Amino acid sequence: RSQHSSATTLHMAVVHQQRMASCTAGLSTAKACLHPTFTSNARQLAVHRTSGSRQNISICAAVIRRTQIARAQVQEADTLPPIVGLQTDYCTDFECTSSPAVELSVRAFSRDLTRLRYTTSLFNLDCDYTDGFRTFKGSDKYKSQLWLSDNITKPKVTLTSIKMLDKGSAQLDCRVVGNTSGAPVDFTLKAVITMNLLTGRIETHTETWDLSKVAPPTAASMSMARMAWSIRKRVGDATAGVTKAVDQGLASFDQNDTDQETLRDPNDPLKFFQGNTQQQDNWNDYVSYAFAAALLYLASRAFVELNQM
């Protein structure tokens, strides 16, 4: 029994020593990964693979991933200018007049501008947008707001300044560089957004382009292209709106049709008719009026755009 107890104690001591050695090696690996002279991830991992310690490899790989993510975040933050006039006194002793969501929205919107794409979740569902050529309402239409990426070759957007106009409004100035139709372009884009003070969602978005530094023929070509593109988008938006309204109306009409009651003519037992005929007539009139209004709107907008040309 004493020999068995001694063997157990010796085994526990060996296991403890192995664990301590493994922890020490793990700490050494982590320190090596974080060392400023750490330049080659592949070479470092190869060294640890030769040592046969899988735990060391996993620790070093995890440190590498965290370091790469941190570096990417720092580099992305360095490309964005500071937000001038940002107020962080969100609440007083009695009420809250703002929230950190405003700052987060400004930074996220800034990144979207430089990436030439919009995150629809940043906007209210009924957000208002205008740029002098295209005007729309609704966050879903930002998915097609891609004129720069579709018409400028190798576009690059650089934020030059971000400033708060008040607690819920911000102005972002950008420099856009690229080529269009073989000609270089370099112009300024100013975006002004208004946000909800509590949720940070963007409620209005206005853009202004300054083409004064672009050659006059190229600037005129860009304006004509934007106008034609905006007219196509307006027609598409109007058609989609009419189609959606008609689909919704037809769906409600079908529902009402299934709910209609079949009535019997009291003067003729063998004659039947359906109720709610007045409602059906009203719906037919509504569809006709909506279609006529859409045609008139499209004709008027086309006339205005042609006069502006």
Side-chain angles (χ1 to χ4, degrees), residues 130-202:
T130 182
D131 61 9
F133 288 88
R134 189 185 184 196
T135 300
F136 62 78
K137 189 182 187 68
S139 59
D140 57 321
K141 295 182 177 62
Y142 275 94
K143 298 177 182 178
S144 62
Q145 188 64 13
L146 303 172
W147 191 90
L148 280 175
S149 58
D150 291 345
N151 295 271
I152 302 295
T153 304
K154 295 182 179 180
K156 181 180 179 181
V157 179
T158 304
L159 276 167
T160 57
S161 68
I162 307 175
K163 64 178 179 180
M164 300 296 298
L165 303 178
D166 53 44
K167 286 188 175 183
S169 301
Q171 175 180 318
L172 301 93
D173 296 327
C174 309
R175 180 187 178 190
V176 183
V177 179
N179 290 274
T180 177
S181 301
V185 293
D186 186 348
F187 61 94
T188 302
L189 184 153
K190 181 176 71 175
V192 178
I193 56 175
T194 302
M195 296 155 287
N196 184 288
L197 292 176
L198 296 181
T199 64
R201 294 287 181 88
I202 299 174

Side-chain angles (χ1 to χ4, degrees), residues 150-275:
D150 291 345
N151 295 271
I152 302 295
T153 304
K154 295 182 179 180
K156 181 180 179 181
V157 179
T158 304
L159 276 167
T160 57
S161 68
I162 307 175
K163 64 178 179 180
M164 300 296 298
L165 303 178
D166 53 44
K167 286 188 175 183
S169 301
Q171 175 180 318
L172 301 93
D173 296 327
C174 309
R175 180 187 178 190
V176 183
V177 179
N179 290 274
T180 177
S181 301
V185 293
D186 186 348
F187 61 94
T188 302
L189 184 153
K190 181 176 71 175
V192 178
I193 56 175
T194 302
M195 296 155 287
N196 184 288
L197 292 176
L198 296 181
T199 64
R201 294 287 181 88
I202 299 174
E203 298 177 340
T204 63
H205 174 197
T206 303
E207 283 190 3
T208 305
W209 295 18
D210 182 7
L211 304 180
S212 59
K213 296 182 180 180
V214 181
T218 305
S221 176
M222 287 180 58
S223 298
M224 294 294 293
R226 288 182 65 194
M227 181 181 298
W229 181 84
S230 299
I231 291 176
R232 291 196 301 269
K233 290 298 180 181
R234 288 180 182 178
V235 173
D237 294 342
T239 303
V242 172
T243 302
K244 182 178 179 180
V246 171
D247 291 341
Q248 292 177 347
L250 290 176
S252 61
F253 175 76
D254 292 339
Q255 182 65 29
N256 293 333
D257 186 61
T258 57
D259 296 338
Q260 285 181 352
E261 180 182 3
T262 302
L263 304 178
R264 177 177 295 178
D265 189 348
N267 299 324
D268 187 356
L270 299 179
K271 184 178 180 180
F272 298 88
F273 64 93
Q274 289 183 331

Side-chain angles (χ1 to χ4, degrees), residues 2-295:
S2 60
Q3 292 178 354
H4 177 72
S5 177
S6 300
T8 302
T9 304
L10 179 62
H11 176 71
M12 292 178 62
V14 171
V15 171
H16 179 71
Q17 185 178 3
Q18 291 176 350
R19 289 179 178 176
M20 290 297 295
S22 178
C23 291
T24 303
L27 292 175
S28 300
T29 302
K31 291 179 179 179
C33 293
L34 293 175
H35 197 272
T37 59
F38 181 74
T39 56
S40 175
N41 297 344
R43 183 178 61 186
Q44 195 78 4
L45 286 176
V47 172
H48 289 297
R49 285 192 179 97
T50 57
S51 66
S53 176
R54 294 183 178 180
Q55 183 179 5
N56 293 351
I57 294 174
S58 62
I59 292 175
C60 193
V63 173
I64 290 170
R65 286 194 298 270
R66 288 195 296 268
T67 304
Q68 291 174 342
I69 293 173
R71 286 174 180 172
Q73 291 175 347
V74 170
Q75 291 174 357
E76 184 180 44
D78 290 340
T79 60
L80 297 179
I83 303 177
V84 179
L86 179 65
Q87 300 181 11
T88 56
D89 51 338
Y90 308 118
C91 299
T92 64
D93 295 336
F94 303 98
E95 62 177 356
C96 289
T97 58
S98 184
S99 71
V102 172
E103 178 184 356
L104 295 178
S105 293
V106 172
R107 296 188 183 278
F109 181 74
S110 303
R111 289 190 290 268
D112 283 355
L113 286 178
T114 58
R115 297 170 181 172
L116 294 175
R117 66 172 185 265
Y118 292 103
T119 305
T120 55
S121 59
L122 291 176
F123 303 87
N124 269 350
L125 294 178
D126 56 349
C127 175
D128 292 318
Y129 172 86
T130 182
D131 61 9
F133 288 88
R134 189 185 184 196
T135 300
F136 62 78
K137 189 182 187 68
S139 59
D140 57 321
K141 295 182 177 62
Y142 275 94
K143 298 177 182 178
S144 62
Q145 188 64 13
L146 303 172
W147 191 90
L148 280 175
S149 58
D150 291 345
N151 295 271
I152 302 295
T153 304
K154 295 182 179 180
K156 181 180 179 181
V157 179
T158 304
L159 276 167
T160 57
S161 68
I162 307 175
K163 64 178 179 180
M164 300 296 298
L165 303 178
D166 53 44
K167 286 188 175 183
S169 301
Q171 175 180 318
L172 301 93
D173 296 327
C174 309
R175 180 187 178 190
V176 183
V177 179
N179 290 274
T180 177
S181 301
V185 293
D186 186 348
F187 61 94
T188 302
L189 184 153
K190 181 176 71 175
V192 178
I193 56 175
T194 302
M195 296 155 287
N196 184 288
L197 292 176
L198 296 181
T199 64
R201 294 287 181 88
I202 299 174
E203 298 177 340
T204 63
H205 174 197
T206 303
E207 283 190 3
T208 305
W209 295 18
D210 182 7
L211 304 180
S212 59
K213 296 182 180 180
V214 181
T218 305
S221 176
M222 287 180 58
S223 298
M224 294 294 293
R226 288 182 65 194
M227 181 181 298
W229 181 84
S230 299
I231 291 176
R232 291 196 301 269
K233 290 298 180 181
R234 288 180 182 178
V235 173
D237 294 342
T239 303
V242 172
T243 302
K244 182 178 179 180
V246 171
D247 291 341
Q248 292 177 347
L250 290 176
S252 61
F253 175 76
D254 292 339
Q255 182 65 29
N256 293 333
D257 186 61
T258 57
D259 296 338
Q260 285 181 352
E261 180 182 3
T262 302
L263 304 178
R264 177 177 295 178
D265 189 348
N267 299 324
D268 187 356
L270 299 179
K271 184 178 180 180
F272 298 88
F273 64 93
Q274 289 183 331
N276 296 332
T277 56
Q278 182 65 33
Q279 185 176 4
Q280 181 178 356
D281 293 338
N282 292 339
W283 166 245
N284 292 335
D285 294 339
Y286 170 75
V287 173
S288 300
Y289 293 149
F291 185 72
L295 291 178

